[in-house]
Amino acid sequence: MPELPEVETTRRGISPHCQQQTISDVIIRNHRLRWPIAGSLPGKLRTQRIQDVQRRAKYLLFVTDSGTLILHLGMSGSLRICNKNEPVKKHDHVDIVLSSNKVIRFNDPRRFGSLHWTRQAVTKHKLIHELGPEPLGEQFNAQYLYNISRRRKVAIKNLIMNSHVVVGVGNIYASESLYLAGIHPARAASRISLQRYEKLVTAIRNVLQAAIESGGSTLNDFTQPDGQPGYFQHHFRVYGKAGQACEHCQQTIAQITQGQRSTFFCKSCQR
DNA sequence: CAAAGGTCCTGCTCGC
DNA sequence: TGCGAGCAGGACCTTT
């Protein structure tokens, strides 16, 4: 579910509810997420005042006076704001109870999400410190990608999905970006010119920015943090469109598997 | 049985 | 030979 735009949309959705708030309690109904939630987490968070809700890659960062809660939505996670006494739904694993008596409720069917508490600077945390640049930041540019891709024969799609190279490019937007840039997803990263990396970087930025601006795209059950079923069915050009016509050349859109993930592309537009 | 939006970890290969 | 970097595949889950 969450690609970067959904995570950013979630951040923007819950952020206003966190203003001036203190965490009064943390309720863990199921601690078995991707990594077991530390039993000490509620004690660490209780009484902490939330200063800010930030995002790094697809991690949401709840910055408090004495540390940071690092939350990842995994493949199927979502947050919503609800009242304390609202009945729990299936897969509602964690509640972060605020002093307003509102609750940030974490739901995650597949349990690939995670929660970590750190007292140190968040940039030093194991999960964060080796991450590549943000795709919408200045450090991510064509020259950077070009330099990093020399003598790397990995397929370009796998390269841009590698979080050590650049964060936040998920399976949907990897396919979409490569289509917009006219680059074949299986092309070796080392065999792409600087000029073509210019196109790719522009495509990645545009596609992510557009999705953020439209409130995040979604395939299934993304729920806006305020509880509204705020679907925005983004217009994908290739993702999930195997067998349909390319809107540019009418060639049938192909589907292949790369790194155990589906890739969609146009054989004639992408080289 | 297959596939689904993520990403860390393990172990292999390759080149210096 | 040894070492690090790069890379593929496995692992973690439930639902459709």
Side-chain angles (χ1 to χ4, degrees):
Chain A
M1 190 185 334
E3 283 252 9
L4 183 105
E6 282 79 9
V7 178
E8 178 58 23
T9 299
T10 298
R11 189 192 69 78
R12 293 180 188 185
I14 61 173
S15 188
H17 297 275
C18 296
Q19 300 296 318
Q20 316 287 329
Q21 293 301 304
T22 297
I23 295 170
S24 55
D25 202 5
V26 175
I27 298 161
I28 300 170
R29 294 183 200 83
N30 187 349
H31 72 279
R32 302 191 52 184
L33 299 187
R34 175 164 188 193
W35 295 286
I37 302 174
S40 57
L41 190 80
K44 298 277 175 57
L45 280 170
R46 221 173 272 137
T47 76
Q48 291 294 319
R49 190 180 65 92
I50 300 174
Q51 293 176 353
D52 198 12
V53 185
Q54 302 173 354
R55 179 186 60 73
R56 172 73 172 106
K58 293 175 188 168
Y59 294 96
L60 287 170
L61 309 174
F62 294 80
V63 182
T64 78
D65 291 338
S66 62
T68 302
L69 173 67
I70 303 169
L71 185 154
H72 199 289
L73 298 172
M75 197 89 117
S76 58
S78 62
L79 296 180
R80 67 183 195 277
I81 300 288
C82 60
N83 290 314
K84 209 173 171 177
N85 57 2
E86 196 170 302
V88 296
K89 297 181 179 175
K90 198 172 184 181
H91 310 301
D92 280 346
H93 304 311
V94 180
D95 278 2
I96 299 168
V97 187
L98 304 173
S99 45
S100 61
N101 282 333
K102 295 273 186 184
V103 168
I104 301 169
R105 191 161 279 178
F106 176 74
N107 183 287
D108 185 9
R110 292 178 73 179
R111 290 193 272 120
F112 289 169
S114 64
L115 283 86
H116 291 270
W117 167 255
T118 182
R119 257 196 118 90
Q120 57 181 176
V122 74
T123 52
K124 292 187 178 173
H125 191 273
K126 184 185 175 187
L127 292 173
I128 308 282
H129 82 122
E130 286 186 329
L131 293 175
E134 289 288 325
L136 300 174
E138 285 181 9
Q139 285 180 55
F140 179 63
N141 55 51
Q143 191 68 54
Y144 165 80
L145 258 193
Y146 181 79
N147 291 347
I148 218 170
S149 64
R150 295 310 87 188
R151 90 191 58 176
R152 295 186 68 160
K153 51 185 170 186
V154 69
I156 183 59
K157 189 204 180 209
N158 294 330
L159 186 81
I160 60 175
M161 289 185 69
N162 180 344
S163 65
H164 295 282
V165 174
V166 58
V167 301
V169 182
N171 200 40
I172 293 178
Y173 295 111
S175 280
E176 292 294 306
S177 304
L178 288 163
Y179 173 77
L180 290 175
I183 299 172
H184 194 292
R187 173 168 286 273
S190 58
R191 298 190 57 244
I192 296 172
S193 67
L194 179 59
Q195 275 197 332
R196 302 188 78 201
Y197 273 119
E198 296 278 4
K199 283 193 164 184
L200 180 56
V201 166
T202 301
I204 289 170
R205 290 172 172 276
N206 286 348
V207 87
L208 290 176
Q209 192 60 50
I212 289 170
E213 280 166 18
S214 52
S217 58
T218 184
L219 295 177
N220 269 316
D221 55 356
F222 182 73
T223 304
Q224 294 279 346
D226 61 3
Q228 299 304 308
Y231 273 82
F232 182 84
Q233 186 57 59
H234 196 77
H235 171 66
F236 299 130
R237 291 178 173 84
V238 288
Y239 186 84
K241 303 193 93 168
Q244 299 181 46
C246 166
E247 55 185 54
H248 181 70
C249 74
Q250 316 308 314
Q251 167 79 250
T252 303
I253 292 167
Q255 178 173 4
I256 57 173
T257 298
Q258 295 182 281
Q260 305 170 102
R261 314 296 299 279
S262 286
T263 302
F264 300 86
F265 69 106
C266 173
K267 283 179 178 168
S268 65
C269 293
Q270 295 175 253
R271 295 296 170 155

